[in-house]
Amino acid sequence: AQKVTQAQTEISVVEKEDVTLDCVYETRDTTYYLFWYKQPPSGELVFLIRRNSFDEQNEISGRYSWNFQKSTSSFNFTITASQVVDSAVYFCALSGPIGGRRALTFGSGTRLQVQP
Amino acid sequence: EAQVTQNPRYLITVTGKKLTVTCSQNMNHEYMSWYRQDPGLGLRQIYYSMNVEVTDKGDVPEGYKVSRKEKRNFPLILESPSPNQTSLYFCASSLFEGWETQYFGPGTRLLVL
C-alpha cells in the first residue's frame, strides 16, 4: 500500500515570508514518481512538478523549490517570498503500484493563506 | 489549447435521478481517470481507463459507472445518486498510465439532495 501524509492542514503567513509545505510518503516500490499540485480558490488543479525516485536533486523554479530526500521519504515544497496569489490548497501525490496497476495517491492537502 | 473539459461545472440534483458528467480531452491521451475530492480526504480515484473500451475500478467505484467508447471522451455516470455522492469531481488525463503527469479538468461540483 502507498500513502501520502501532509501533516499541516492549514498554514497562514504574511506576504514575503518563506513557507515550507511538508510531504511524507510511504511506498514499498523502488520506482515511483512524486508530484505537487496547486488548487487555487477557483478550484482547478494545477500541476507544479513531477520528480522520479532516482533523482534526488533539489529543484528550483522561480520562487518555488522542492527538496526530495529519499532517506526520510519526504518531498517538501518551499515558497520563497510568498505572495497573496500563492494562497491555495497544495496537494502532494505519489504515483506507484496499487493492486497491479499504477495509481496516483494524494495527500489530504495543505491550505496556505498568505495575508497582505 | 491543450485541455480537459468537464460539463456541467455545477449540478444540483435529487436522490435517484440519473445524471452524467461529461469529460473530454484534446491531447490524444491514452489514460483517463475520475476522482472525487472531499474535505480532509484529498482526491480519491473512482474509475480509470487505459484506452478505448478498457476501464477499471479505482479506490471508490461504488455507485458510479464509466464508459470509454472514444479516446477523447470519458463520461461519469451516476445511475441513482445519493447524498453521500455530493462532492467535487475531477476528470484527468495523461499520455499513459502511471508515470505520466495527469492533467485535470476544471472540476464539477455536485450536490445531491
Side-chain angles (χ1 to χ4, degrees), chain A residues 49-106:
Chain A
I49 189 171
R50 178 180 80 151
R51 174 57 55 86
N52 77 57
S53 53
F54 299 109
D55 182 3
E56 287 193 68
Q57 282 201 3
N58 290 338
E59 179 151 345
I60 298 174
S61 176
R63 295 184 297 106
Y64 294 173
S65 62
W66 290 269
N67 184 337
F68 176 29
Q69 293 202 343
K70 223 167 170 177
S71 59
T72 56
S73 296
S74 64
F75 186 44
N76 296 337
F77 173 30
T78 297
I79 302 174
T80 303
S82 59
Q83 300 176 2
V84 172
V85 292
D86 296 325
S87 297
V89 180
Y90 291 87
F91 290 97
C92 179
L94 165 68
S95 176
I98 297 180
R101 62 184 170 98
R102 296 220 167 263
L104 201 56
T105 299
F106 284 83

Side-chain angles (χ1 to χ4, degrees), chain B residues 7-25:
Chain B
N7 282 293
R9 295 288 313 279
Y10 303 92
L11 181 59
I12 301 174
T13 189
V14 295
T15 299
K17 185 176 182 183
K18 181 180 178 179
L19 66 93
T20 299
V21 184
T22 64
C23 172
S24 184
Q25 51 93 5

Side-chain angles (χ1 to χ4, degrees), chain B residues 17-96:
Chain B
K17 185 176 182 183
K18 181 180 178 179
L19 66 93
T20 299
V21 184
T22 64
C23 172
S24 184
Q25 51 93 5
N26 63 2
M27 296 171 278
N28 203 34
H29 283 171
E30 302 273 333
Y31 184 85
M32 297 185 75
S33 182
W34 276 101
Y35 294 85
R36 61 178 288 173
Q37 181 183 357
D38 302 291
L41 297 177
L43 280 83
R44 294 176 294 167
Q45 192 180 52
I46 303 170
Y47 267 95
Y48 66 97
S49 169
M50 292 174 62
N51 212 327
V52 175
E53 302 292 0
V54 181
T55 63
D56 208 346
K57 297 176 182 178
D59 301 313
V60 287
E62 294 76 24
Y64 304 95
K65 283 176 57 178
V66 293
S67 68
R68 185 97 180 269
K69 293 185 169 54
E70 305 165 281
K71 197 172 187 178
R72 62 184 294 129
N73 296 324
F74 190 44
L76 178 70
I77 303 156
L78 284 71
E79 294 267 2
S80 183
S82 61
N84 65 12
Q85 293 179 298
T86 291
S87 188
L88 176 58
Y89 291 87
F90 287 99
C91 180
S93 74
S94 62
L95 198 53
F96 301 111

